[in-house]
Amino acid sequence: MPLHLPNAAPADAAPANAVHGGPTREAIRDAARRIGPHVRRTPLLRLSGTDLGLPQDIVAKLELLQASGSFKPRGAFNRLLSQTLPAAGVVAASGGNHGAAVAFAAQRLGVPAEIFVPEITGAAKRARIEGYGARLVVGGAAYDEARQASEARAAATGALLVHAYDQDEVLAGQGTVALEWQEDAPDLTHVLVATGGGGLIGGMAAWYAGTGVQVVSVEPEACPTLATALREGRPVPAPVGGVAADSLGARQVGARMFAVAKDHVAAAVLVPDDAIRAAQRLLWDAARVVAEPGGATALAALLCGAWRAPAGARLGVLVCGGNCDPGSVAG
Amino acid sequence: MPLHLPNAAPADAAPANAVHGGPTREAIRDAARRIGPHVRRTPLLRLSGTDLGLPQDIVAKLELLQASGSFKPRGAFNRLLSQTLPAAGVVAASGGNHGAAVAFAAQRLGVPAEIFVPEITGAAKRARIEGYGARLVVGGAAYDEARQASEARAAATGALLVHAYDQDEVLAGQGTVALEWQEDAPDLTHVLVATGGGGLIGGMAAWYAGTGVQVVSVEPEACPTLATALREGRPVPAPVGGVAADSLGARQVGARMFAVAKDHVAAAVLVPDDAIRAAQRLLWDAARVVAEPGGATALAALLCGAWRAPAGARLGVLVCGGNCDPGSVAG
């Protein structure tokens, strides 16, 4: 059920600090300077269509190689480094990757962290959070319950709440993925990005707005937060399920990302879980890259035909996380 | 039992087409042009010492992301593209990675391939060889027997023999790893490279000879081919065993690589198997990189202290292969 939108900026538009609800390019540049000493500039890997069994080459950005195993430390560090941290430390709710990133950032900056996870969060993500020295709390059956528990805790202790996606500093931090990518691969015409709560694609679309680069959202059919919001014209609750729910299983997209996405996301497509599993296997077989389901979701759109590249397109595909049992990708 | 040699070129020496038995820089540049359309330029990942629990940062070259899962296609393509291929195709003997690379190159160039493997070659490597359409033959208990069987087969059929390490075109092809690395990270002072038969480090040392960059060989204590050859003054048989034997388990180094290594490898150190396993775990935990034992061997030298960086060193560490069961790295 792909949803193609006609509203992306034309290719000849000049880059601009677009007027939208998301971060400005300058805020994203500031974030890059702020977080630079703490996060990795993740590498690109150019893969031939022949090697992938696809009609076109891709430029994969290997954000799974980021510290803590996903893009999330970019937003977490930008939030933590933008203010004076309370002695009570920081609190976050997370399906796992954001929690690991906040725990990692808190450890590096020397403040305590409490991370609220839903029951579906797997052993690999739990171990990572605790490995960074955070206190782990199971806060309910799904992400939304864990989020409510985390907000109550922050209100009670005075700790700084680090939202998984719907805060200005978080969007600006995640937008640094796009800043790096455009510097390192200025020839791309389209980038495919997985969407959960939307902090990543919101920050990236804010960076690319006005540049002519088309940002394509890919979501599991079982977690269609952005496609649903675009259809309804506002963020609304969507189903949460499927193989990528532990990283893409937000109940709905954030208001801040939606303000950007409604005008600056070129298409929002959905993929079935079996395409996500196939993308995980392909990344391992063709490139020895271990992506978690959410990390393989963007590539899945090319495998199952949910999105087709126009002639002459030069494609970027983001591999945004690798926090899974590595043995799970080869089956 | 590290063996440090005092014979590396001084840091202020000019790059040169050094007079040694290995490939010239021009031959390596030619190889890069020849194989460029068929292999990947593998990315670098800068990792902080803090993230690794080490006293220094490293610049990892992720050669495990190469097509077929190791550096080996560089030499294989250079050998196959340097001559007219016979109708009988190509034959190779291999612990696995070279065989996969030759099978891959033959498939891409449209010629048949027969690959002789020893019994120790694991299921992942066998599946990869057969997945590229080659005929797989188990040629004996260890690599050396498979090599003899492959040579007999090539003599009988007229197929082109592609040696795993001791041919001029193979050394020049593997040397392109160093060419890329120096272009992409010209600031390095030392590069750590795992040694088996020595085609990789031989080609790389030939590239770096005279540049001031020190090439450090790392081998498992259980497969000490280069350390033994340097001690004896010539290639001689060494024990074959341990966790990395399927990729580093040559019986002895090649004559061509030794002609380079005796003058242009700065140190040849040995690491225990448990350091190799620890390096595999660290690459996964800190960077979501899945290295096979041979691929993690260079990093192991830093973990166990077999080699210590001098003050001010800027270290490159090659991760040269990832052909293993991915679940095996996380334990």
Side-chain angles (χ1 to χ4, degrees), chain A:
Chain A
M1 190 174 58
L3 179 66
H4 288 279
L5 304 175
N7 53 12
D12 56 357
N17 279 340
V19 178
H20 51 58
T24 62
R25 288 194 132 215
E26 194 50 40
I28 295 169
R29 280 198 198 91
D30 286 345
R33 281 188 284 267
R34 199 174 285 126
I35 71 179
H38 302 284
V39 304
R40 298 174 191 160
R41 188 179 188 100
T42 51
L44 305 184
L45 180 66
R46 292 177 185 267
L47 294 167
S48 73
T50 309
D51 284 1
L52 297 170
L54 291 174
Q56 65 281 307
D57 301 343
I58 68 169
V59 179
K61 186 165 170 69
L62 301 181
E63 188 66 16
L64 80 156
L65 306 178
Q66 185 56 265
S68 88
S70 86
F71 66 94
K72 292 283 193 177
R74 296 174 183 268
F77 272 109
N78 196 41
R79 171 90 170 139
L80 268 62
L81 291 168
S82 293
Q83 51 235 294
T84 305
L85 296 174
V90 298
V91 167
S94 166
N97 284 341
H98 172 63
V102 172
F104 173 72
Q107 185 183 57
R108 286 300 159 87
L109 300 178
V111 295
E114 286 183 299
I115 309 297
F116 289 73
V117 300
E119 289 163 9
I120 58 166
T121 296
K125 289 192 170 75
R126 292 185 189 207
R128 180 145 275 216
I129 290 166
E130 293 184 319
Y132 292 132
R135 179 168 166 259
L136 183 109
V137 185
V138 178
Y143 167 73
D144 212 49
E145 294 164 62
R147 181 185 57 75
Q148 291 173 34
S150 73
E151 290 172 1
R153 179 71 178 170
T157 66
L160 177 73
L161 191 71
V162 186
H163 196 280
Y165 47 89
D166 200 21
Q167 284 173 334
D168 293 335
E169 302 97 323
V170 173
L171 259 73
Q174 320 306 29
T176 62
V177 173
L179 179 160
E180 286 179 14
W181 212 353
Q182 196 171 37
E183 285 183 353
D184 293 343
D187 59 319
L188 298 180
T189 59
H190 297 72
V191 296
L192 279 70
V193 183
T195 303
L200 175 61
I201 195 170
M204 292 183 66
W207 176 264
Y208 277 124
T211 66
V213 176
Q214 311 273 296
V215 178
V216 176
S217 165
V218 186
E219 300 181 279
E221 291 175 351
C223 294
T225 51
L226 181 58
T228 305
L230 290 168
R231 194 179 62 229
E232 299 293 326
R234 63 193 167 85
V236 292
V240 175
V243 298
D246 71 333
S247 61
L248 304 182
R251 173 64 66 189
Q252 65 182 52
V253 295
R256 287 168 181 77
M257 83 75 63
F258 190 74
V260 187
K262 67 186 174 54
D263 295 323
H264 299 289
V265 167
V269 303
L270 301 177
V271 296
D273 277 0
D274 61 0
I276 294 172
R277 289 294 190 201
Q280 287 184 284
R281 284 192 298 274
L282 179 60
L283 284 166
W284 172 251
D285 287 341
R288 295 302 187 236
V289 167
V290 172
E292 63 182 287
T297 293
L299 178 62
L302 298 179
L303 298 192
C304 70
W307 184 81
R308 292 183 197 284
R314 294 181 297 280
L315 300 188
V317 175
L318 188 65
V319 185
C320 58
N323 286 330
C324 59
D325 169 2
S328 66
V329 302

Side-chain angles (χ1 to χ4, degrees), chain B residues 181-280:
Chain B
W181 212 352
Q182 195 170 38
E183 284 183 354
D184 294 343
D187 58 320
L188 297 181
T189 59
H190 298 72
V191 295
L192 278 69
V193 183
T195 303
L200 174 61
I201 196 169
M204 293 183 66
W207 176 264
Y208 278 124
T211 66
V213 176
Q214 311 273 298
V215 178
V216 175
S217 165
V218 186
E219 300 181 278
E221 291 175 351
C223 295
T225 52
L226 181 57
T228 304
L230 289 169
R231 194 180 60 228
E232 299 294 325
R234 63 194 167 86
V236 292
V240 175
V243 298
D246 71 334
S247 60
L248 304 181
R251 174 64 63 189
Q252 64 183 54
V253 294
R256 286 167 181 78
M257 82 75 62
F258 189 74
V260 187
K262 67 185 173 55
D263 295 322
H264 299 288
V265 167
V269 303
L270 301 177
V271 295
D273 277 1
D274 61 359
I276 295 172
R277 289 294 191 202
Q280 286 184 286

Side-chain angles (χ1 to χ4, degrees), chain B residues 121-151:
Chain B
T121 297
K125 290 192 169 74
R126 292 183 190 211
R128 178 144 278 213
I129 290 167
E130 294 184 318
Y132 292 133
R135 180 168 165 262
L136 183 108
V137 185
V138 177
Y143 167 74
D144 211 49
E145 294 165 62
R147 181 185 58 76
Q148 290 174 32
S150 74
E151 289 172 2

